Amino acid sequence: MSKINIGIKEQDREAIAEGLNQLLADTYSLYLKTHSFHWNVTGPMFNTLHLMFEQQYTELALAVDVIAERVRALGARALGSYSAYAKLTEITEDNGVSSARTMIEELLEGQEIVIRKARSLYPLVNGADDEATNDLLTQRIQTHEKTAWMLRSMLEE
């Protein structure tokens, strides 16, 4: 591959890509968990949750592509294996949760993990004047905060 000259220092590109790979691991792990909950939700709110979880995992599937492509644009390899994601993610796996309420609580926790991970990258990204990654992070945070709000609202009595 030819030398990358996009106005971001190589060490900054590498550090940003590393952070984005961590975000990718969390996002993909949340996608898997949300998809599993979509398949396995039961109870009186089945239809509502089944459809909502489908919308959420579909959005997450698109997000992993955007994040991975940004890693590649920065000149790094985008992680793409379960084992690599498992080493990096803070998202807990679906371990047979059957309660719809617990599913909502766990997905809310996952959304907030992703929000914090994305937000933690701002100092590095801003210091490197990486506006493209800054924009990606802003969009991801907005989406995850809205989803977290919706999930949180479902938990209120």
Side-chain angles (χ1 to χ4, degrees):
M1 182 183 270
S2 63
K3 185 170 170 62
I4 297 173
N5 184 11
I6 59 173
I8 302 172
K9 296 176 192 167
E10 182 177 0
Q11 76 179 47
D12 289 339
R13 283 189 295 104
E14 290 172 357
I16 293 166
E18 182 180 333
L20 287 174
N21 266 323
Q22 291 174 347
L23 181 64
L24 178 61
D26 284 333
T27 303
Y28 196 85
S29 298
L30 184 57
Y31 159 80
L32 285 175
K33 187 174 201 171
T34 306
H35 209 154
S36 177
F37 287 173
H38 162 77
W39 290 327
N40 293 297
V41 68
T42 59
M45 291 187 55
F46 167 79
N47 197 49
T48 299
L49 292 176
H50 184 74
L51 293 172
M52 185 176 79
F53 294 165
E54 181 175 15
Q55 290 171 342
Q56 290 174 7
Y57 79 69
T58 299
E59 193 285 323
L60 290 163
L62 297 172
V64 295
D65 198 50
V66 171
I67 297 165
E69 288 176 354
R70 183 64 191 151
V71 171
R72 294 296 297 137
L74 291 168
R77 179 168 176 78
L79 299 177
S81 70
Y82 298 125
S83 60
Y85 296 150
K87 289 178 187 174
L88 294 177
T89 190
E90 293 181 47
I91 307 290
T92 59
E93 288 184 306
D94 169 20
N95 292 313
V97 170
S98 59
S99 158
R101 182 174 183 84
T102 302
M103 288 178 179
I104 295 167
E105 290 169 346
E106 287 193 16
L107 292 180
L108 172 58
E109 178 185 11
Q111 293 288 334
E112 290 177 340
I113 287 169
V114 174
I115 293 164
R116 290 191 305 271
K117 176 66 70 187
R119 187 166 275 120
S120 75
L121 295 175
Y122 273 128
L124 175 62
V125 170
N126 289 335
D129 294 325
D130 182 356
E131 292 84 3
T133 302
N134 189 310
D135 183 56
L136 180 153
L137 295 173
T138 299
Q139 291 178 40
R140 296 308 320 143
I141 289 169
Q142 287 174 335
T143 298
H144 289 285
E145 284 183 346
K146 182 176 181 179
T147 302
W149 158 60
M150 291 180 176
L151 290 166
R152 197 176 299 109
S153 294
M154 296 189 81
L155 294 173
E156 292 180 6
E157 298 288 326

